[in-house]
Amino acid sequence: MSGSALKRITREFAEISANPLEGVVIFPIDADMFKWNIELTGPKDSPYEGGRFRLNLTLPETYPFKPPVLSFATKIYHPNVSNDDKGSMCLGILRSDAWKPSCKIVAVLEMARGLLLEPNPEDAVENSIAMEYKNNRANFDRIAREWTRSYAK
Amino acid sequence: MASRPPNAPREEVFCHECQNNWYRDVSGIVCPACGSDFVEIIEVPESEHLQAAEDHGEEFGHARIHRGPGFTFYSQTHHHRHTHSPQHQHGPRGHQSPGEEVIADMFSQMLRNIVGDQYRPGSNRARFEGSPPPFVRADRRWDADGDEVMEDRPGTGDHRPSPANPFAPAGFGPQFGPRNANQAQAGAGAEQAVPDITTFLNALFNPTGDTEDIPMFARIFGGGAGGDYVYSQAELDRIVSQLMEQHQGNAPPPAAEEDIKALPRIKVTEAMVLECLDCTVCKEDLVFDEELVQLPCKHNYHFACVAEWLKAHDTCPICRHPITPEERRAQSSSSQPSSSSQHAQSSSTQSTQSTQSAQSQSQSTPRSPPIPQPATIFSHLFGSMGTGGGGIAYGQSTFFSSPGPHRHNRIESDEEDDDDQIPDLEPVDRSSGETGGHGGNGNTGTGGSGSGSGSETRPQQQATSHFANLFRRH
């Protein structure tokens, strides 16, 4: 299957290169089309503004039958990103039960950027951060900004 | 206090401003000394004055900690003599300063919470009066940095039987450690097992046996004391995630081979080519006269492309409509556990059509091979959620003195033989009747009664919402 996977990935990469998403830069790792390095720019009017977040997008061999795996290499204070060395993000279309082959990488990246603008505390991996986001927004913003300053340069 | 007439339970009032105390029926509820209304009404247990001096062990044994499945902690009588009754005799260890005793009380309560496992099912929601149960605070503390300790905790997620109580410290007998579900616990002997706080502390900090590598405290708070108990949010998360993984989420089950093969074939028409349609799986543009299969929802794909997907999940790659005819879907869904509910929630951005079909799909979940154990576990998780809201996480409090076998709050599925054995704890009456003297001393309520409740309810909400999240997610 990886032949057709590669074909589709290459096609998607071409599409995305022709129409880059705002705030998203993609660097495929050399010849390996199954691993993409991505840099997200923190959206304006979010506590992540000014930050540059490195993400790893890993496409499974069975893509598009299995969802891509997205993880933050840059530490980020966000309810939907695990606060560990993995920085994994698993929600929405990235979950295997919600994934559909018709979803595209573009949609995944759009979702990731959308989450920087508007976290989804109802579907959090970091519950304490989600609580902070919901109940103490000012403090959430403050910490998120601090982390952005410290880590997302 | 000593001047009180023997038979009349009188309400005593304590002033938090000036530490004054008086009887309510004499001076009302405004402090006669300083005029403050920051006062607390204290019910004085009838026989208290008869037992001025008491051993700590007994005190621990009779304190009023009550809990239901929502882990209720409260002491009805917040009577903290140490803070407002300077003439009170301190008993055998009267050299303790009031502060020390407060700590000792908190500590004893904490240990009670940790060690025991008795609870009263199905009643009140959590009520928090007085200061928070200390173990919850400690729990938070370990939450933050206890991960490493947790990693090598034995048997927290699965239900490995814990053979011989791996970290029972000397002098504590079988109570101290994970319960063995197959063995009644000796509850009655527990009171003697806690002769005094010193032994207790010694046992905690100088554990013997195989606990040397990890301090008792780390085990208690970091890892959740073993067995199927957990004491921290992180650990609970880990267990539930593990269960979810075993359950393979609620991804749609595969479609049957024959149904895939039976899909109608169509040829690509000129109109389709002109519309620049593609196969949404491989993203290749359609080529004139090419053969496609058409799903019941009228979406077309290359056979090879969609077959690969359908073998894994019986949904249309675009709209999630299953290809299995409805009659058969309905049939097989009846045998499924109902935990699959909302896996379609994330598709809200799609068309209404897709949302609808996704919902109908979620009701059906046909033909996935039954995975009995996790499913059973889920139903139990759901059960506990229904009654208690997160009781599992902060599970256990008990009386040292409680009689009989108590085995409770298990995630495991052997409930038939469990339910009958819950001693019917009517905590309030029980403790005031039995304890005589120190009825209410379990909680350190007097000093900061207000401050406790706020910080207290949060972990529970957190646990509950966490559950909600998890189940929504899968």
Side-chain angles (χ1 to χ4, degrees):
Chain A
M1 258 344 265
S2 86
S4 64
L6 184 62
K7 214 164 166 188
R8 174 166 160 169
I9 293 166
T10 312
R11 181 177 282 266
E12 286 198 56
F13 182 72
E15 270 174 29
I16 230 173
S17 306
N19 299 300
L21 283 172
E22 193 207 330
V24 180
V25 188
I26 297 164
F27 318 89
I29 302 175
D30 298 326
D32 188 358
M33 287 302 290
F34 289 87
K35 284 196 185 351
W36 296 15
N37 276 347
I38 288 156
E39 189 178 290
L40 279 188
T41 313
K44 216 171 173 323
D45 299 323
S46 78
Y48 310 107
E49 186 176 346
R52 282 156 50 179
F53 298 90
R54 301 285 297 221
L55 284 84
N56 296 320
L57 182 81
T58 310
L59 296 154
E61 294 243 322
T62 48
Y63 184 80
F65 302 110
K66 289 270 187 291
V69 177
L70 191 63
S71 61
F72 274 73
T74 306
K75 203 169 156 73
I76 182 172
Y77 188 77
H78 193 290
N80 304 110
V81 180
S82 72
N83 182 21
D84 54 18
D85 53 346
K86 296 191 193 72
S88 46
M89 180 180 235
C90 184
L91 78 165
I93 54 173
L94 289 174
R95 280 215 294 274
S96 60
D97 54 350
W99 173 255
K100 299 179 301 184
S102 57
C103 290
K104 295 206 259 178
I105 297 169
V106 170
V108 170
L109 298 176
E110 271 172 353
M111 186 196 73
R113 190 147 196 280
L115 281 168
L116 291 190
L117 210 51
E118 197 173 335
N120 181 356
E122 304 306 321
D123 202 354
V125 283
E126 291 295 338
N127 241 323
S128 54
I129 301 179
M131 293 304 261
E132 204 68 14
Y133 180 78
K134 282 199 281 196
N135 303 331
N136 193 352
R137 186 64 184 272
N139 196 42
F140 169 87
D141 285 350
R142 187 182 56 76
I143 301 174
R145 260 194 298 274
E146 254 168 44
W147 285 33
T148 303
R149 259 201 309 279
S150 314
Y151 305 111
K153 285 289 164 200
Chain B
M1 231 182 292
S3 63
R4 190 159 44 91
N7 287 332
R10 295 174 73 179
E11 285 179 322
E12 206 180 4
V13 187
F14 169 66
C15 174
H16 285 269
E17 295 287 2
C18 67
Q19 320 287 301
N20 186 19
N21 61 322
W22 64 94
Y23 287 118
R24 185 184 181 178
D25 51 351
V26 175
S27 305
I29 56 167
V30 173
C31 178
C34 71
S36 164
D37 56 1
F38 183 26
V39 298
E40 183 176 4
I41 298 171
I42 297 154
E43 264 179 58
V44 183
E46 192 198 318
S47 51
E48 176 167 275
H49 62 291
L50 299 175
Q51 302 184 13
E54 230 182 71
D55 188 276
H56 272 287
E58 282 178 53
E59 228 174 280
F60 298 160
H62 296 300
R64 302 180 187 180
I65 302 297
H66 319 305
R67 77 178 277 279
F71 54 99
T72 303
F73 292 96
Y74 75 100
S75 159
Q76 194 200 32
T77 309
H78 292 301
H79 183 217
H80 226 77
R81 283 164 303 174
H82 316 311
T83 48
H84 66 102
S85 176
Q87 71 272 31
H88 167 67
Q89 273 183 284
H90 281 291
R93 272 167 306 283
H95 58 276
Q96 279 175 316
S97 73
E100 279 171 339
E101 287 208 25
V102 170
I103 291 166
D105 277 356
M106 288 169 64
F107 192 66
S108 71
Q109 184 190 344
M110 176 176 77
L111 289 165
R112 237 177 286 119
N113 292 331
I114 292 159
V115 169
D117 58 280
Q118 190 159 0
Y119 86 111
R120 203 161 50 94
S123 60
N124 34 0
R125 300 283 307 161
R127 208 159 11 135
F128 299 104
E129 301 174 12
S131 62
F135 90 95
V136 172
R137 286 191 232 155
D139 180 53
R140 286 214 198 125
R141 180 151 38 88
W142 281 89
D143 239 328
D145 55 10
D147 275 352
E148 263 178 55
V149 184
M150 288 172 214
E151 285 316 304
D152 39 359
R153 289 283 317 116
T156 39
D158 47 17
H159 304 286
R160 266 177 277 165
S162 37
N165 198 357
F167 48 97
F172 279 91
Q175 288 77 24
F176 216 101
R179 290 163 309 118
N180 182 346
N182 304 314
Q183 222 175 41
Q185 294 197 348
E191 204 169 351
Q192 294 91 46
V194 190
D196 65 36
I197 194 79
T198 324
T199 317
F200 218 21
L201 286 167
N202 280 343
L204 270 175
F205 291 112
N206 306 306
T208 55
D210 61 352
T211 58
E212 281 161 345
D213 50 337
I214 304 171
M216 194 70 198
F217 262 72
R219 291 175 167 269
I220 291 167
F221 296 120
D228 43 14
Y229 280 2
V230 292
Y231 292 97
S232 76
Q233 184 71 50
E235 190 66 1
L236 178 71
D237 290 0
R238 206 174 61 76
I239 289 177
V240 177
S241 309
Q242 202 179 340
L243 292 173
M244 289 297 180
E245 275 162 30
Q246 284 169 19
H247 197 55
Q248 298 169 345
N250 286 297
E257 193 92 13
E258 57 268 31
D259 287 333
I260 299 174
K261 286 198 179 121
L263 289 168
R265 314 280 171 132
I266 59 163
K267 293 277 183 189
V268 174
T269 63
E270 210 167 335
M272 290 161 98
V273 176
L274 288 174
E275 274 184 79
C276 292
L277 296 180
D278 60 6
C279 167
T280 57
V281 175
C282 65
K283 302 289 179 193
E284 298 288 333
D285 293 332
L286 298 185
V287 178
F288 180 68
D289 212 29
E290 200 178 12
E291 190 183 72
L292 300 176
V293 290
Q294 187 167 63
L295 269 49
C297 53
K298 307 296 176 203
H299 288 115
N300 306 320
Y301 308 90
H302 296 127
F303 176 78
C305 295
V306 79
E308 190 73 18
W309 172 252
L310 292 171
K311 276 183 222 160
H313 306 288
D314 178 18
T315 59
C316 168
I318 295 174
C319 69
R320 296 181 147 265
H321 193 277
I323 65 162
T324 310
E326 207 162 332
E327 316 83 75
R328 264 188 290 149
R329 269 184 275 147
Q331 243 175 30
S332 45
S333 69
S334 56
S335 62
Q336 286 286 318
S338 61
S339 60
S340 65
S341 57
Q342 300 149 339
H343 74 254
Q345 51 96 21
S346 59
S347 62
S348 57
T349 51
Q350 269 105 38
S351 66
T352 36
Q353 186 201 6
S354 92
T355 313
Q356 281 165 3
S357 56
Q359 277 164 0
S360 70
Q361 166 65 16
S362 75
Q363 285 155 11
S364 56
T365 59
R367 281 199 303 278
S368 82
I371 307 161
Q373 206 203 8
T376 325
I377 292 167
F378 283 147
S379 68
H380 281 261
L381 281 173
F382 277 120
S384 343
M385 282 172 68
T387 53
I392 294 172
Y394 300 97
Q396 296 73 41
S397 80
T398 191
F399 304 99
F400 279 135
S401 59
S402 55
H406 28 86
R407 306 154 41 191
H408 255 279
N409 213 1
R410 297 184 63 78
I411 304 180
E412 236 163 20
S413 52
D414 54 348
E415 75 176 356
E416 315 81 28
D417 56 13
D418 265 19
D419 278 350
D420 301 335
Q421 303 185 14
I422 315 156
D424 186 23
L425 283 182
E426 240 350 286
V428 177
D429 296 343
R430 184 175 181 271
S431 48
S432 64
E434 279 182 19
T435 58
H438 294 249
N441 268 352
N443 264 7
T444 54
T446 317
S449 49
S451 65
S453 49
S455 58
E456 208 43 76
T457 45
R458 259 190 69 178
Q460 192 199 10
Q461 284 171 356
Q462 219 170 321
T464 315
S465 77
H466 180 73
F467 266 119
N469 284 344
L470 278 165
F471 289 113
R472 195 177 313 115
R473 196 183 304 165
H474 286 271

